[in-house]
Amino acid sequence: MFNIARNELHRLFLSPLAWVILALSQLLLAYLFLTHMDYFNSIQSRISAIPGAPGVTELIAMPLLSNAAIIALLISPLLTMRTFAEERRNETLPLLSSAPLSMFDIVIGKFFGTLAFFLLMTLLTVLMISSLAIGTTLDFYQLSSGVLGLILLVASFSAVGIYMSSLTRQPTIAAISTFAILFLFWIIDWASHSTTEFSLFSWLSLLKHFEPMMQGQINTQDISYFLLIIFAFLLLTVRRLDRERLD
C-alpha cells in the first residue's frame, strides 16, 4: 500500500502539471496572503479600540485557508483524473490488478499518494500563516481547527476524484465529472435557504460542514460527515474495480 502511495506521488511529480499547479497555487495564495495583510493594516487603527475585535487569525489566517479550499476545489480534478483512468487507457490496469495486493490496498495507496500532494500544499500555506507569529499573536486553536477542516476537505476531494477516475478511461471526462460532483456538493445547501423542507441538502453540503471549522468549532458531526464521504467514495472505488477484476 505504501509503495503504491509513493509511486503515485512520484508519478505526480514526474509530470510538469503537478509542478505548475503547485507553483501557481502558491503564487496565488501568496498574493492573497499579502492582500489580506494589507486589508488588516488598513483597518487595524479603527478596530483596535473595539473590545473583542477580530485579530490576525480571523482576518488573515482563516480567509487564506478558505482561499486554499477553493483553489483545492479547482485543482483536485486535474490531480485525480489520471489515477485510474490513465491506467485503463494505457492498458496497465490489469497489470496493477494482478499485483499481490488487495484492491483495497491499491485504492488506499492511490488515495494517500494523491492526498500527500494536498498535504504539501497545506503545509506551505500553514508555514505562510505561521510567519505572522513573529510579530503578532495567533489563535492556534482556531488555526488548528481550520487546518483540520482543510485536510478533511481535500481528502474528500481526493476520494471523489479517484472514484470518478475509476469509472472511465478518459482523464478529461474524469476531471469534468469530478468538478461537477464537487461543485454540486459545495453549493447544494443553497436550495435549503428557500425553505426548511430541504434540510437534507444542507447536511450534504461540504461548505456547510467546513465553515464551522473555519470559525474554530470542532464538531463530531462535521468530522463524521467528512469521514463518511471519504470512506463511501473509496469503498465505491474498491467495489467498482473489484467487479472489473472479476470480469
Side-chain angles (χ1 to χ4, degrees), residues 6 46 61 78 85 121 125 137-138 143 146 155 161 175 195 223 227 245:
R6 186 177 66 251
R46 284 178 284 170
L78 299 176
M121 189 183 80
T125 307
T137 302
L138 290 171
L143 179 59
T195 172
I223 295 176
L227 293 178
R245 174 190 266 180

Side-chain angles (χ1 to χ4, degrees), residues 6-110:
R6 186 177 66 251
N7 291 338
E8 184 66 23
L9 183 62
H10 179 68
R11 190 174 72 163
L12 269 176
F13 280 106
L14 282 178
S15 167
L17 179 64
W19 290 102
V20 170
I21 287 175
L22 184 61
L24 291 180
S25 63
Q26 290 306 305
L27 181 64
L28 181 56
L29 285 171
Y31 170 76
L32 292 170
F33 178 63
L34 295 175
T35 301
H36 294 317
M37 285 186 61
D38 183 64
Y39 172 72
F40 178 77
N41 289 331
S42 67
I43 67 171
Q44 186 177 13
S45 59
R46 284 178 284 170
I47 66 173
S48 57
I50 302 176
V56 292
T57 305
E58 293 85 354
L59 296 178
I60 299 178
M62 293 301 105
L64 188 65
L65 290 179
S66 297
N67 297 148
I70 296 175
I71 292 175
L73 173 68
L74 297 175
I75 67 175
S76 58
L78 299 176
L79 293 172
T80 59
M81 65 181 182
R82 300 193 304 169
T83 47
F84 286 107
E86 190 172 73
E87 298 273 7
R88 186 178 285 110
R89 187 179 63 177
N90 294 337
E91 304 294 339
T92 57
L93 186 58
L95 181 62
L96 181 64
S97 301
S98 64
L101 293 170
S102 68
M103 193 55 71
F104 177 82
D105 290 334
I106 294 173
V107 171
I108 294 298
K110 292 271 192 181

Side-chain angles (χ1 to χ4, degrees), residues 35 44 54 70 84 103 117 158 168 173 175 206 213 233 243:
T35 301
Q44 186 177 13
I70 296 175
F84 286 107
M103 193 55 71
F117 181 93
S158 299
T168 179
I173 296 176
L206 287 166
M213 303 187 83
F233 278 95
R243 287 200 306 268

Side-chain angles (χ1 to χ4, degrees), residues 33 123-135 138 140 143:
F33 178 63
L123 175 62
L124 294 174
T125 307
V126 171
L127 289 176
M128 202 182 302
I129 294 172
S130 299
S131 65
L132 295 171
I134 298 175
L138 290 171
F140 283 102
L143 179 59

Side-chain angles (χ1 to χ4, degrees), residues 180-224:
I181 294 293
L182 292 178
F183 189 66
L184 175 62
F185 272 100
W186 191 265
I187 67 169
I188 196 172
D189 69 316
W190 291 2
S192 67
H193 294 170
S194 57
T195 172
T196 57
E197 182 181 351
F198 300 103
S199 58
L200 176 62
F201 292 159
S202 179
W203 183 84
L204 287 173
S205 171
L206 287 166
L207 185 60
K208 194 73 172 180
H209 295 278
F210 177 65
E211 285 179 335
M213 303 187 83
M214 288 295 101
Q215 300 168 5
Q217 303 173 19
I218 301 179
N219 302 317
T220 55
Q221 179 183 359
D222 297 326
I223 295 176
S224 301

